[in-house]
Amino acid sequence: MATDALIERFLAAGDEPTASAIDALLEVLDDTTIDDAVSPHTVAEAAQLVGLSAHTLRYYEQQGLVRPARNASGYRAYSASDLRRLVFLTRMRLSGMTMRDLKRYVVLVDQGDSTVPERRAIMLEQRERIERQVRAYQLALATTEYKLRVYGGHPEG
């Protein structure tokens, strides 16, 4: 399946980490499903696919998080694997991972399989951070629903 379609499928799966969303993410990030026949994307196309600005993609490149090739004219050419990395980066940034941690993670990925234990530790810390955020949002939602009840009955109507 083409990377574009996998990305669309993952993004359409919603916000909850359901089995279908996790399966879609596994497909998006699984290098064995990379379709090398798909032509590379321009910075504008890649930005649109992952929901970022071209400026942000250039910033990620400056920070060493993604390294798209250049075409014969010198323009950035984002491959399927570049898009997959961008999907990962956008999800991690959305969840609050710092640029410092992302840079460290990318360096470890580039060093190979011997760094898997350290990468796993980074992801475990990130999961704990996200779980804390989810609990905080759940409390904020409960507080909002309480106020809605105070102001006139059941929150849904």
Side-chain angles (χ1 to χ4, degrees), residues 47-93:
Q48 182 179 11
L49 275 170
V50 297
L52 297 173
S53 68
H55 174 78
T56 300
L57 295 189
R58 288 186 206 100
Y59 174 73
Y60 283 0
E61 183 180 355
Q62 290 170 352
Q63 297 301 307
L65 297 175
V66 66
R67 292 180 278 295
R70 299 287 179 143
N71 65 19
S73 301
Y75 294 110
R76 290 169 181 83
Y78 286 86
S79 67
S81 58
D82 293 328
L83 293 176
R84 289 166 193 250
R85 168 126 350 143
L86 289 170
V87 168
F88 171 77
L89 294 171
T90 58
R91 296 297 100 189
M92 291 301 99
R93 288 296 292 148

Side-chain angles (χ1 to χ4, degrees), residues 4 13 20 30 66 70 102 145:
D4 300 359
S20 63
D30 180 3
V66 66
R70 299 287 179 143
L102 276 174
E145 289 179 353

Side-chain angles (χ1 to χ4, degrees), residues 5-131:
L6 288 170
I7 290 170
E8 291 295 327
R9 182 174 152 214
F10 174 71
L11 294 175
D15 297 330
E16 290 294 317
T18 62
S20 63
I22 292 169
D23 289 343
L25 181 59
L26 287 172
E27 279 190 66
V28 167
L29 298 178
D30 180 3
D31 288 339
T32 63
T33 63
I34 292 176
D35 186 355
D36 290 325
V38 175
S39 59
H41 294 280
T42 66
V43 68
E45 292 167 341
Q48 182 179 11
L49 275 170
V50 297
L52 297 173
S53 68
H55 174 78
T56 300
L57 295 189
R58 288 186 206 100
Y59 174 73
Y60 283 0
E61 183 180 355
Q62 290 170 352
Q63 297 301 307
L65 297 175
V66 66
R67 292 180 278 295
R70 299 287 179 143
N71 65 19
S73 301
Y75 294 110
R76 290 169 181 83
Y78 286 86
S79 67
S81 58
D82 293 328
L83 293 176
R84 289 166 193 250
R85 168 126 350 143
L86 289 170
V87 168
F88 171 77
L89 294 171
T90 58
R91 296 297 100 189
M92 291 301 99
R93 288 296 292 148
L94 180 65
S95 70
M97 184 178 268
T98 65
M99 288 297 289
R100 185 175 138 252
D101 286 346
L102 276 174
K103 287 179 191 179
R104 176 70 183 141
Y105 187 87
V106 167
V107 165
L108 291 171
V109 168
D110 291 344
Q111 290 175 359
D113 288 343
S114 65
T115 65
V116 166
E118 191 172 349
R119 287 187 268 159
R120 186 174 192 283
I122 291 170
M123 288 294 104
L124 287 170
E125 288 175 21
Q126 183 62 14
R127 181 176 65 186
E128 289 175 16
R129 191 173 317 139
I130 292 167
E131 288 171 344

